[in-house]
């Protein structure tokens, strides 16, 4: 029998019981209690992770935690609410993650992607769906924002490309592609890579991605070919993987692309090789 890796996501399927079959009743009750306490306290959040993924795709899987997405300004309040109920809390990473523990069970409060790009803002709430999670009516993160966040997960032990593909397959015809394009902005090549993988995986479903999106992406690609190399030897790989590009930056002389990117965003910089008139081209290309 195959041994399951401790970080293995578990069996996938369309049976909703897969999401909870391998979880103890106490763990499910802890998740339900956390959601109820936060709702009663008026702490704003949207549900993400496996539960949001299932809402859009109908694909269920065992999950070791509950992912809730508040704005960062509300994440601290979420910890306070659960602390009053006896949960142990930690501010794990000020860039993107806080945690709350009820014994061995835990809830993740995610307010950005791990690279600091996909920040939870008002639009996560404005475009959220409503669904029942653990018996509570909750806001569920929009498909567009889930894709925005998942597209940067390209680690050796975890790659969320299949999740992105399934979200496009099941929600793509209803998605706001202009908003998705705007979300990626200076990271349009990351989105383009996932769109090409979708076309490879589902050649009979290519029309789910609007033609104007593909035309715009290919136009930008041609522009980048004409532009040629950047003058400085950046490696932006650490925006999509925390560890896989360590050698490039620490041994091969490439500049830290994530550090440069963070600084450039803070200073309001544009993206070399991407069109600054993003929203205009998105509208005119259809």
């Amino acid at each position: 029998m195959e041994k399951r890796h401790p970080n293995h996501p578990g069996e996938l399927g369309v049976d909703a019981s897969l999401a909870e079959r391998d979880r103890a009743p106490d763990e499910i009750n802890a998740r339900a209690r956390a959601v109820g306490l936060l709702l009663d306290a008026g702490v704003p959040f949207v549900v993400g992770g496996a539960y949001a993924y299932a809402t859009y795709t109908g694909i269920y899987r065992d999950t070791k935690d509950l992912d809730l997405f508040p704005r960062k300004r509300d994440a601290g309040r979420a910890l306070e609410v659960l602390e009053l109920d006896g949960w142990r809390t930690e501010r794990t990473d000020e860039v993107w993650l806080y945690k709350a523990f009820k014994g061995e069970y835990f809830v993740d409060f995610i307010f950005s992607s791990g690279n600091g790009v996909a920040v939870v803002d008002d639009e996560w709430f404005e475009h959220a769906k409503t669904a029942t999670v653990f018996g509570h009516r909750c806001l569920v993160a929009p498909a567009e924002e889930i894709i925005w966040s998942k597209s940067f997960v390209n680690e050796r032990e975890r790659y969320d490309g299949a999740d992105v593909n399934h979200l496009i397959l099941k929600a793509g015809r209803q998605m706001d592609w202009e908003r998705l394009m705007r979300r990626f902005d200076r990271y349009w090549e990351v989105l383009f890579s996932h769109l090409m993988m979708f076309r490879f995986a589902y050649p009979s479903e290519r029309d789910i991605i609007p033609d104007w999106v593909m035309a715009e992406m290919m136009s930008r690609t041609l522009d980048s070919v004409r532009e040629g190399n950047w003058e400085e030897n950046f490696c932006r790989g650490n925006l999509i993987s925390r560890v896989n590009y360590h050698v490039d930056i620490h041994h091969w002389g490439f500049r830290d692309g994530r550090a440069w990117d963070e600084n450039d965003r803070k200073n309001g910089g544009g993206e070399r090789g991407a069109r600054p008139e993003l929203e205009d081209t998105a509208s005119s290309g259809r």
Side-chain angles (χ1 to χ4, degrees):
M1 180 179 294
E2 179 186 2
K3 292 183 179 179
R4 180 174 295 175
H5 188 279
N7 289 325
H8 194 285
E11 183 182 355
L12 300 174
V14 295
D15 181 355
S17 69
L18 290 171
E20 300 177 0
R21 191 169 64 192
D22 294 335
R23 298 292 128 186
D26 285 350
E27 182 171 8
I28 299 304
N29 291 337
R31 294 178 185 181
R33 182 165 182 80
V35 170
L37 288 169
L38 294 169
L39 290 173
D40 289 345
V43 178
F45 65 88
V46 296
V47 177
Y51 294 98
Y53 180 66
T55 297
Y56 291 100
T57 66
I59 298 174
Y60 297 87
R61 63 185 173 215
D62 175 45
T63 179
K64 67 184 185 300
D65 56 12
L66 170 64
D67 292 338
L68 303 182
F69 287 67
R71 304 172 186 85
K72 185 172 185 180
R73 67 173 183 263
D74 298 315
R77 173 63 178 147
L79 296 186
E80 292 172 2
V81 169
L82 296 189
E83 283 173 0
L84 290 173
D85 190 54
W87 295 61
R88 177 176 66 84
T89 64
E90 68 177 35
R91 297 180 179 237
T92 313
D93 189 325
E94 291 295 340
V95 171
W96 70 288
L97 176 67
Y98 294 165
K99 286 178 174 285
F101 299 85
K102 190 74 165 178
E104 62 183 300
Y105 311 130
F106 63 98
V107 176
D108 285 342
F109 293 101
I110 301 169
F111 40 86
S112 176
S113 52
N115 59 10
V117 171
V119 175
V120 177
D121 58 19
D122 292 349
E123 289 191 78
W124 288 68
F125 294 82
E126 293 167 5
H127 303 289
K129 289 185 66 171
T130 303
T132 300
V133 181
F134 301 118
H136 299 282
R137 294 296 287 172
C138 300
L139 293 179
V140 174
E144 294 86 346
E145 276 66 26
I146 299 174
I147 290 173
W148 183 34
S149 179
K150 282 182 171 293
S151 290
F152 292 97
V153 182
N154 289 264
E155 299 292 353
R156 289 182 65 188
E157 74 283 359
R158 177 176 171 183
Y159 170 62
D160 281 358
D163 286 359
V164 171
N165 279 348
H166 285 131
L167 285 162
I168 294 173
L169 179 68
K170 293 299 185 179
R173 296 192 190 280
Q174 293 77 45
M175 286 195 324
D176 184 343
W177 285 91
E178 289 188 28
R179 189 168 93 251
L180 186 65
M181 294 276 280
R182 174 169 52 80
R183 284 303 203 186
F184 279 88
D185 191 15
R186 62 200 279 137
Y187 314 102
W188 63 270
E189 290 148 311
V190 176
L191 175 60
F192 192 24
S193 71
H194 285 283
L195 299 185
M196 291 302 294
M197 287 298 290
F198 175 86
R199 289 169 61 86
F200 175 82
Y202 300 105
S204 64
E205 310 299 325
R206 291 174 177 169
D207 65 340
I208 290 178
I209 302 170
D211 289 348
W212 67 266
V213 171
M214 294 305 299
E216 173 65 19
M217 289 295 192
M218 289 186 282
S219 176
R220 295 183 194 183
T221 300
L222 287 173
D223 285 348
S224 71
V225 171
R226 298 186 188 102
E227 179 192 59
N229 292 344
W230 289 19
E231 293 180 4
E232 298 178 80
N233 61 336
F234 286 103
C235 174
R236 292 186 292 174
N238 56 350
L239 280 160
I240 57 175
S241 172
R242 184 181 295 270
V243 299
N244 285 332
Y245 297 91
H246 180 88
V247 168
D248 307 69
I249 294 166
H250 295 278
H251 297 282
W252 289 350
F254 284 89
R255 287 188 58 190
D256 185 332
R258 174 173 170 175
W260 170 83
D261 188 79
E262 291 173 350
N263 184 66
D264 195 58
R265 277 186 283 125
K266 288 177 182 177
N267 294 327
E271 162 69 351
R272 283 181 283 186
R275 298 182 177 184
E277 66 277 12
L278 173 66
E279 293 189 52
D280 292 339
T281 58
S283 300
S284 62
R286 287 174 295 166

